[in-house]
Structures are given as C-alpha cells and as structure tokens.
C-alpha cells in the first residue's frame, strides 16, 4: 500500500529514476549539511551507511543535469588506506560509486590507470594513504577520504591532500570514518571549516542482517569497543587510565636516535582462528648511555597478527626481528611454556631468546612502564594507533577493552627488558668480598 501511494501518479521514467534519487532514501546523517564548509566528516558505527553516503556525495558533485553535462566537480581524489580498499570498497563495493550510479551516468573504471572516467569529462583518481607523496603534483576540486582514523600515515596523507585541493571556487572533502581517538581526526573536527554528521550502526538496521546486529549487540554492547565501533562515538580517556591519549601524542617523534639495543617482544596467542586472541608483537629500542635515569626507549613498530597458527606467528616474530636487526626476542611463556621458544627455534635456531614469566598481574606490570612515559623517557613512532588504543584502556581497575590487551602486554615486556630490568640489576648492591 505504501509503495503504491508513493509511486501513484509517477511516470514510468520517474519510477525507474527513483532508486537513484538518494535524497529521497537517505538517512539524515548521510546528507551533507548546508552552509559554508570545507570538510564534512561522517562519523558512524560499522554498517551505518558511511560508504554509501560518500559515494552518493561524489555522484552529486560530479554528475550534471544530463549524462554529458558538467557537474560541480571535475577532478576528484579518492583516498583509502590502500589502493585495494579504494578499489574494492569505494569504487567497486556494494555501496561504492559504480553500484550507486544510474546506467546513463555510470563512470568507466580504468584499473591500470587507477582512474574513474565520466562521460561529461570528470575524472577521479585512486590514492593510497600509505603513499602520501603520490598526492604531490595532482590537483583537485573534490575529495572523498575513507576510514582516515585507521590510516598509519594519516597526518602525512591528510596534509598532502590539503595542498592538492586547489581547483575551482569551493574545493571540498568528505571524510567517512569510524571514530578513533587520534590526533589528526580530533584536529579536523576542531577546525572551524569542518561540519559533521553522526550515526550509530542501528540507524541503518533496515539494510543490515538481523543476525549481525544480534551478535554484535550481545558481544560488544556496553563495552568501550562497542561505543566506538557500533555507536560511532569518538572516545576520550577512560577513568583511571594509566596512559592518556594526549600524552602519547606528545611523545611521538619522526625517528629515533641511534639505538644501543632493539628487542622484539611477544605476547603469544594460545589458539588460532578468527575468534582467537591476537599474538602481540611489538618492536622497541633503547639508548642506554649515561645515567640510568636518562635512558630513553623508542617504540618502533607494531607487527601484531591474529588468526594465524603457531608456526605462522612465529615466522612473523622472526620477520620483525630481521627487519629491525633486533638483538633479542623476548616472550611471556606462562601459558605457552617451552612451546614458544621451540616454535621460534624452528624458524631461526640462532636467534637470541629470553623467556619471561609473569609473577604479577597485567596492571601491576604496566604501572612502572607507565611511569617511564610520565618521565618522558619513552617515545612512539607513527603507525601505532591500535597499540595506543589498548594502552588507553589499561586502568587501575584492570583492562577495560574487549578481549586481551595483546599489544599492550607485549609493549610492557619490551620496556621491562630494555630499561626496567637492566636498571634494577645495576642498582642491586654487589656482594662484599671477604
């Protein structure tokens, strides 16, 4: 009855066009705000319709009144974390540009050139956030940026995009992302030229599988991860957190000093499969010259893997050790016992290894490491967002995230090995000779 009432009086042509009139079907958060703005940020939970909103916005900017008529935009940048994600999600995906375009305005995808070409002369180019330098040279009047908050090189890629948005009278960019508490996203949202819309996953429930909603509600409702991934809320630090996001941002550097030692620390996974805990793999180094209180540490990389069998994650550990020329691998072996060393020896029999045993709880082990951060003695390189999220969920009352803090546990072991344990050994009084 409702469909009949809606379509009554419409011509056949109008009925055929109706599925492509996004303004008719869209949720409020999927429509761009009015007024004078440069950046529109759509914050939303998983499945909230962010990708569809971004694709439809590109359509609205590029398409004209007829297939060959010019639109508002003619040079578009499409930027995702990788080229594959731009292609598979933003362009060819179920809610991507090609799926949303009407037949007479569907652009042609030139995969070899990484370009979308419209009949009216408009062109979109695909870029990976892993390669910010590729944005030097091209210029655009419009851009769509997807999942910026999880890019490892978000700041560099975003800055390069700003310099390239210099065509036309009113260049604009749409950012579609699940929120994470990262500096670049916070700064974008604070800019006076930014507008935002927001929606939780539930807002798009009509287009999502009921079983999906039931499962994620049961598993994540009420958790910090659920607030972020389902409610689409940009979270601040939790009460009692032993690390603060703003402090971690302040300790970031572009490159470390010459390092005296490098270790790869492992918090091993005791099972495999998609539902298993991750195998935390953190690479860190230290400068150990001068007085003990001046020793500095640098967290270099997060090579954590999930869903791999024991021998596969052992190979990932040794690959990280080789990549950073590590002096030693250290691993917590309370659960895995001798198995961890045995696995590593199968891959590289000569790699120096030290087994670590947890005699205290996670928070008790983490607190002296957090003190090193408070003293400004630990610095982070870029690309550690997932590790930093876990760190900011470590509180005095325990870990407040979902699952196990695999990355944060590995970090704690690394900094114990590099600074805390050697310093403790140096401070112990030597036995007096008789």
């Amino acid at each position: 009855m409702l469909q009949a009432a809606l379509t009554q009086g419409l011509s056949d042509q109008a009925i055929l066009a109706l599925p492509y009139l996004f303004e008719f079907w869209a949720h409020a958060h999927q429509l761009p705000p009015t007024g004078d703005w440069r950046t529109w940020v759509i914050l939303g939970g998983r499945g909230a319709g962010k990708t569809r909103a971004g694709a439809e916005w590109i359509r609205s900017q590029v398409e004209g009144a007829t297939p060959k008529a010019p639109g508002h935009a003619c040079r578009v940048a499409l930027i995702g974390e990788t080229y594959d994600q731009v292609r598979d999600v933003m362009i060819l995906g179920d809610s991507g540009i090609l799926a949303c375009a009407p037949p007479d305005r569907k652009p042609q995808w030139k995969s070899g050139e990484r370009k979308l070409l419209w009949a009216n002369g408009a062109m979109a180019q695909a870029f990976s956030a892993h390669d910010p330098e590729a944005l030097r040279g091209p210029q655009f009047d419009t851009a769509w940026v997807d999942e910026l908050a999880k890019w490892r090189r978000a700041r560099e890629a975003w800055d390069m995009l700003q310099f390239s948005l210099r065509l036309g009278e009113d260049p604009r960019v749409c950012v579609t992302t699940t929120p994470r508490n990262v500096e670049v996203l916070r700064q974008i949202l604070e800019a006076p030229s930014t507008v935002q819309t927001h929606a939780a996953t539930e807002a798009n429930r009509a287009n999502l599988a009921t079983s999906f909603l039931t499962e994620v509600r049961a598993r994540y409702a009420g958790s910090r991860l659920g607030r972020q991934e389902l409610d689409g809320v940009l979270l601040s630090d939790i009460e009692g957190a032993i690390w603060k996001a703003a402090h971690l941002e302040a300790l970031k550097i572009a490159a470390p000093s010459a390092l005296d030692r490098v270790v790869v620390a492992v918090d091993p996974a005791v099972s495999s499969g998609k539902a298993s805990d991750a195998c935390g793999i953190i690479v860190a180094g230290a400068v150990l010259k001068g007085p003990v209180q001046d020793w500095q540490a640098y967290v270099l990389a997060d090579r954590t893997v999930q869903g791999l069998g024991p021998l596969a994650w052992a190979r990932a550990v040794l690959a990280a050790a080789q990549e950073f020329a590590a002096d030693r691998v250290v691993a917590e072996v309370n659960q895995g016992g001798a198995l961890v060393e045995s696995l590593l020896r199968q891959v590289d029999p000569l790699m120096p290894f030290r087994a670590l045993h947890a005699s205290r709880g996670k928070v008790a082990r983490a607190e002296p490491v957090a003190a090193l951060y408070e003293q400004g003695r630990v610095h982070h390189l870029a690309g550690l967002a997932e590790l930093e999220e876990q760190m900011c969920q470590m509180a005095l009352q325990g870990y407040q995230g979902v699952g196990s803090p695999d990355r944060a546990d590995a970090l704690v072991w690394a900094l114990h090995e590099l600074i805390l344990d050697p310093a403790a050994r140096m401070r112990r009084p030597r036995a007096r000779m008789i």
Side-chain angles (χ1 to χ4, degrees), residues 358-379:
S359 59
R360 297 182 294 169
K362 295 180 186 295
V363 175
R365 291 198 307 271
E367 284 184 291
V369 173
L372 295 176
Y373 282 81
E374 292 175 5
Q375 296 163 7
R377 297 173 59 192
V378 185
H379 303 275

Side-chain angles (χ1 to χ4, degrees), residues 205-415:
R205 59 186 175 275
N207 298 307
L208 300 173
T210 302
S211 60
F212 163 77
L213 289 172
T214 301
E215 179 68 18
V216 294
R217 283 192 202 114
R219 187 179 293 249
Y220 301 111
S223 71
R224 183 177 173 87
L225 186 63
R227 291 276 291 156
Q228 174 180 282
E229 301 294 326
L230 298 179
D231 298 337
V233 175
L234 183 60
L235 300 174
S236 58
D237 295 316
I238 63 173
E239 184 178 352
I242 62 177
W243 282 285
K244 304 291 186 182
H247 191 205
L248 294 179
E249 291 291 342
L251 292 171
K252 286 189 176 178
I253 60 168
S257 305
L259 300 171
D260 297 312
R261 287 192 71 205
V262 174
V263 301
V264 176
V266 186
D267 184 64
V270 295
S271 60
S272 60
K274 293 182 179 180
S276 68
D277 290 334
C279 175
I281 306 172
I282 299 296
V283 186
V287 178
L288 304 177
K289 298 173 183 177
V292 170
Q293 62 269 22
D294 294 335
W295 291 357
Q296 298 286 313
Y298 301 86
V299 184
L300 307 175
D302 180 356
R303 294 292 185 263
T304 298
V305 294
Q306 186 166 14
L308 301 182
L311 197 56
W313 61 249
R315 291 193 183 100
V317 171
L318 273 303
Q322 184 176 22
E323 178 184 354
F324 290 90
D327 301 286
R328 175 177 288 179
V329 172
V330 298
E332 190 269 310
V333 297
N334 285 31
Q335 293 178 314
L339 174 64
V340 177
E341 182 175 5
S342 174
L343 288 167
L344 295 173
R345 296 284 181 227
Q346 290 181 52
V347 182
D348 185 350
L350 301 179
M351 173 56 67
F353 174 80
R354 184 183 178 201
L356 303 173
H357 300 270
S359 59
R360 297 182 294 169
K362 295 180 186 295
V363 175
R365 291 198 307 271
E367 284 184 291
V369 173
L372 295 176
Y373 282 81
E374 292 175 5
Q375 296 163 7
R377 297 173 59 192
V378 185
H379 303 275
H380 281 202
L381 273 65
L384 300 170
E386 291 173 302
L387 166 64
E388 291 162 356
E389 285 178 22
Q390 284 194 355
M391 294 170 67
C392 292
Q393 295 175 67
M394 292 288 289
L396 296 176
Q397 62 270 33
Y399 181 59
Q400 302 300 297
V402 174
S404 175
D406 317 278
R407 302 167 197 267
D409 280 348
L411 168 83
V412 168
W413 288 123
L415 295 178

